[in-house]
């Protein structure tokens, strides 16, 4: 359970001191059921492997997080793109965004149903428009203009999620977050970028948009300070402007792990919810912190022979 949480959650944190190009990926912070853990770990590992290969090959942080999140969107085990959680009506409705920490360009799409890889369309928002966020039918029209294939909305729906929604509605529970995906990377030139993609919260109200496409809430990247991607209870993350709030603390000289812990503590003590986040710093420190029972994550940097993952 991610929200509301009645007992003070335990905040967990991993810090890896990386060298050279580096990245962190996540496959969501929540109470991942035992039978789904292996698939989450495998997905995060594959994404970290792809990301490290891309960075070692000289790709930019921006191209790398786009490629990594595209791979995670296509993984049906995860709540993004194909395999997303469903809203109250049984529809997969997606949000995604991507940010370049060099020039603070950011692009997002929200509440889309006919796009296989929303993060790729979000990237096109950066490249082909002067806007930050396109939503609903306008975003879908833009995707068509940019040459993206029009999916039938049912193509994003997998049987596991139909079952999960049915079970959830039978028990009359509130909307809960699932396994959103995200990535933050620093490339060989010191450029930082972040991206995220999600189906949002299970059983969400039609029209609901979460934190994932909102710059400053679900993600932020500034090569001078660091990059952040959040997951978990989107309303809480948005109310705290979590990604930017972490970076503001780091700009003031605070240690990134302490900044992450503070935000997660505030999410529970002030709002009663839980979340998780990734931080990559300009000196390639990789920080993952979460107040949910689990967080699926993968990490890699220039000094590692092979990437690692845990769920
Ligand atoms: N933060 C996402 C949302 O609220 C859900 C998640 O991270 O699992 O839309």
């Amino acid at each position: 359970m991610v929200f509301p949480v009645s007992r003070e959650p335990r905040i967990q944190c991993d810090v890896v001191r990386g060298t050279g190009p580096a990245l962190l990926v996540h496959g969501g912070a929540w109470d991942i059921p035992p039978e789904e853990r292996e698939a989450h770990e495998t997905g995060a590992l594959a994404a970290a492997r792809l990301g490290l290969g891309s960075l070692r090959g000289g790709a930019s942080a921006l191209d790398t997080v786009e490629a990594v999140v595209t791979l995670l969107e296509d993984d049906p085990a995860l709540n993004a793109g194909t395999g997303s959680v469903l809203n109250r009506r049984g529809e997969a409705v997606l949000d995604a965004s991507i940010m370049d920490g060099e020039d603070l360009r950011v692009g997002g799409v929200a509440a889309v149903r006919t796009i296989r890889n929303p993060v790729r369309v979000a990237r096109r928002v950066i490249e082909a428009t002067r806007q930050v966020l396109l939503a609903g039918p306008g975003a879908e029209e833009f995707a068509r203009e940019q040459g993206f294939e029009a999916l039938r909305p049912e193509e994003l729906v997998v049987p596991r999620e139909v079952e999960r929604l049915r079970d959830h509605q039978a028990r009359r529970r509130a909307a809960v977050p699932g396994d959103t995906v995200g990535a933050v990377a620093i490339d060989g030139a010191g450029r930082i970028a972040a991206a995220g993609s999600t189906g949002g919260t299970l059983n969400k109200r039609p029209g609901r948009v979460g934190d994932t496409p909102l710059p400053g809430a679900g993600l932020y990247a500034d090569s001078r300070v660091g990059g952040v991607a959040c997951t978990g209870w989107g309303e809480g993350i948005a109310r705290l402007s979590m990604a930017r709030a972490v970076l503001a603390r780091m700009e003031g000289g605070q240690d990134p792990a302490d900044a992450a812990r503070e935000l997660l503590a505030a999410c529970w003590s002030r709002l009663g919810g839980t979340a998780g986040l990734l931080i990559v710093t300009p000196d390639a420190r990789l920080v993952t912190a979460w107040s949910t029972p689990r967080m699926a994550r993968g990490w890699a940097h220039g000094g590692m022979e092979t990437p690692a993952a845990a769920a």
Side-chain angles (χ1 to χ4, degrees), residues 79 95 177-180 198 200-201 208 210-212 231-235 237:
N79 171 25
D95 302 331
D179 26 12
T180 287
T198 189
T201 49
R208 182 260 187 194
D211 61 299
T212 306
T231 177
W233 176 43
E235 283 71 13
I237 294 166

Side-chain angles (χ1 to χ4, degrees), residues 109-274:
V109 293
V112 293
R113 298 187 57 209
T114 61
I115 297 173
R116 188 181 306 279
N117 292 113
V119 75
R120 294 185 58 214
V121 181
R123 175 69 188 273
R124 296 307 306 161
V125 173
I126 292 185
E127 305 299 342
T129 83
R130 301 188 62 173
Q131 277 83 53
V132 161
L133 182 57
L134 299 179
E140 295 182 339
E141 199 180 302
F142 170 72
R144 304 291 95 79
E145 268 169 40
Q146 293 293 315
F148 291 93
E149 163 210 10
L151 272 196
R152 283 179 297 112
E154 316 79 79
E155 290 181 66
L156 297 167
V157 177
V158 301
R160 178 197 69 233
E161 293 304 326
V162 174
E163 190 68 23
R164 204 195 300 275
L165 180 69
R166 196 175 297 141
D167 179 60
H168 187 89
Q169 290 181 335
R171 291 197 259 148
R172 296 176 182 280
R173 289 168 60 194
V176 289
D179 26 12
T180 287
V181 305
V184 187
I186 181 165
D187 61 28
R191 296 172 296 196
I192 295 179
S197 186
T198 189
T201 49
L202 172 62
N203 203 33
K204 67 187 178 183
R205 179 187 293 278
R208 182 260 187 194
V209 171
D211 61 299
T212 306
L214 305 180
L219 91 172
Y220 205 81
D222 180 343
S223 300
R224 299 178 188 182
V225 190
V228 179
C230 301
T231 177
W233 176 43
E235 283 71 13
I237 294 166
R239 286 162 66 190
L240 292 165
S241 298
M242 192 177 275
R244 191 66 192 85
V246 164
L247 291 175
R249 282 167 171 72
M250 289 164 57
E251 275 174 317
Q254 193 171 14
D255 174 77
D258 291 344
R261 284 178 181 282
E262 257 183 43
L263 262 299
L264 294 174
C267 185
W268 182 76
S269 65
R270 299 194 62 186
L271 311 178
T274 56

